[in-house]
Amino acid sequence: MQRICVIGGSRYFGKLLVERLRAAGHQVTVINRGSTPPPTGVEHLIVDRDDEAALTAALDARTFDVVVDQVCYTPVQAAIAARAFSGRTRRYVMTSTIEVYDPATAALPTVPPGTPVPEENVDPAGWQVAMDLPWHDDAYLETHYAEGKRQAEAVLAHAGDLAFASVRSAHVLGGGALEFTGRLAHYAEHIVRGEEITVHAKALPTVFIHYEELADLLSWATTADFTGPVNACSDGPLDVHGLAEAFAARARREAVYRTVSAGEEASPFSFDRHYAMSNARAKALGFSFSRTTDWLPDAVAEALAVSAAPTA
């Protein structure tokens, strides 16, 4: 049994992570702002993680074997967490994102299309941090999401008394109504209605992961001893056409496409640049991934069912 603190953990794969950690016999504490209570048997600390004094006071004398940070988006948040948990935990796992590799958001080493992007393409130990940027501005953060994650990783990588690991998640799918981003709903609704799916002329493949698999990997990361970033994606890249056709086949409709130029906005998961990740490091460390084609049909069926359900 371990003492594990989860920051966030109120919805989607974070909620499932908390449930699985508890079911595995761990002593779990959840920190969030109180909008969603955790499962029975899980300690709940209601506090705003951005308020350092309140966070430190809420933690009191608690210590943990591992902290899993599901909602760290900026270097400011990372610095607060590093100070608040200094001396309170030996291991800190941050949920990060495939977006750190997006070449449209930073000057990154070029990786030829078709070559899976390895973790070393973004090294948090060498990434520059700028605390004075307007990280508290929601609009700024929304447009600088990838950079916020990169800099948050960098801050925690330099927190000397923490064994830091980041889990860089692929695009997360599955769960029907639990998938709150609306990206699969976009396909379900457009395919059923015969509406256009907008795609780039040279749409490149990306990688995905099922929300249950990501919860499993994060749970595994709490007991593993690796440090640094690790990519989390199912085997088998998929492009926007493959995703749309999976919906079309299930709905027995024909996908209708409209092509847009490079740089223009398109349907979710249509990318005109390459940053599909490699999961080789996680495999070498002992984690086994499913194939995207194993779970995608069920995820598509769930999304179509939710789309067809009558609204209250």
Side-chain angles (χ1 to χ4, degrees):
M1 182 192 77
Q2 293 196 106
R3 297 184 305 277
I4 301 175
C5 176
V6 178
I7 306 175
S10 61
R11 61 180 180 177
Y12 207 25
F13 61 86
K15 181 178 180 181
L16 182 59
L17 169 66
V18 170
E19 293 171 353
R20 292 193 171 174
L21 290 174
R22 177 61 181 153
H26 298 296
Q27 181 180 317
V28 184
T29 296
V30 164
I31 293 176
N32 60 35
R33 289 180 291 186
S35 59
T36 305
T40 302
V42 173
E43 182 183 36
H44 191 195
L45 301 182
I46 300 175
V47 63
D48 184 346
R49 59 138 340 124
D50 294 333
D51 185 334
E52 184 171 354
L55 177 59
T56 302
L59 289 171
D60 195 22
R62 291 174 179 82
T63 60
F64 306 97
D65 296 297
V66 188
V67 174
V68 182
D69 195 340
Q70 296 280 78
V71 288
C72 188
Y73 301 110
T74 74
V76 175
Q77 291 178 323
I80 289 172
R83 291 190 293 267
F85 287 95
S86 177
R88 298 180 190 272
T89 187
R90 61 171 178 80
R91 181 167 177 78
Y92 202 99
V93 179
M94 174 188 153
T95 304
S96 190
T97 173
I98 186 176
E99 302 301 333
V100 301
Y101 300 117
D102 186 351
T105 64
L108 299 172
T110 301
V111 178
T115 302
V117 181
E119 287 85 354
E120 54 264 31
N121 244 45
V122 176
D123 178 8
W127 202 263
Q128 289 194 329
V129 172
M131 292 288 200
D132 57 348
L133 295 174
W135 295 115
H136 294 292
D137 183 315
D138 289 342
Y140 181 86
L141 182 55
E142 182 177 357
T143 57
H144 294 81
Y145 171 72
E147 182 61 17
K149 284 289 193 179
R150 286 188 288 257
Q151 292 195 25
E153 285 193 41
V155 168
L156 289 164
H158 286 96
D161 63 342
L162 298 177
F164 172 65
S166 59
V167 173
R168 293 173 175 170
S169 170
H171 308 290
V172 188
L173 300 180
L178 297 176
E179 200 280 307
F180 62 91
T181 67
R183 294 175 298 187
L184 285 189
H186 172 93
Y187 286 91
E189 293 164 5
H190 281 63
I191 293 292
V192 169
R193 296 172 185 170
E195 297 173 353
E196 294 176 330
I197 304 295
T198 52
V199 300
H200 294 101
K202 295 182 179 180
L204 294 171
T206 187
V207 286
F208 299 90
I209 191 166
H210 192 270
Y211 82 106
E212 292 183 357
E213 187 164 41
L214 182 54
D216 287 341
L217 190 145
L218 287 164
S219 179
W220 165 77
T222 66
T223 58
D225 60 1
F226 71 90
T227 57
V230 66
N231 294 335
C233 59
S234 300
D235 289 329
L238 187 71
D239 67 14
V240 62
H241 295 93
L243 182 60
E245 293 302 328
F247 274 91
R250 182 75 187 196
R252 298 183 179 179
R253 299 283 196 278
E254 185 173 339
V256 180
Y257 299 102
R258 178 171 63 86
T259 302
V260 298
S261 302
E264 287 189 53
E265 187 174 351
S267 291
F269 310 124
S270 181
F271 296 107
D272 56 1
R273 57 218 184 266
H274 168 68
Y275 58 110
M277 302 185 298
S278 165
N279 60 13
R281 186 179 188 220
K283 287 181 176 178
L285 289 167
F287 190 83
S288 297
F289 290 97
S290 67
R291 293 193 61 80
T292 304
T293 51
D294 292 340
W295 52 260
L296 184 62
D298 285 344
V300 166
E302 291 166 349
L304 286 166
V306 170
S307 178
T311 55

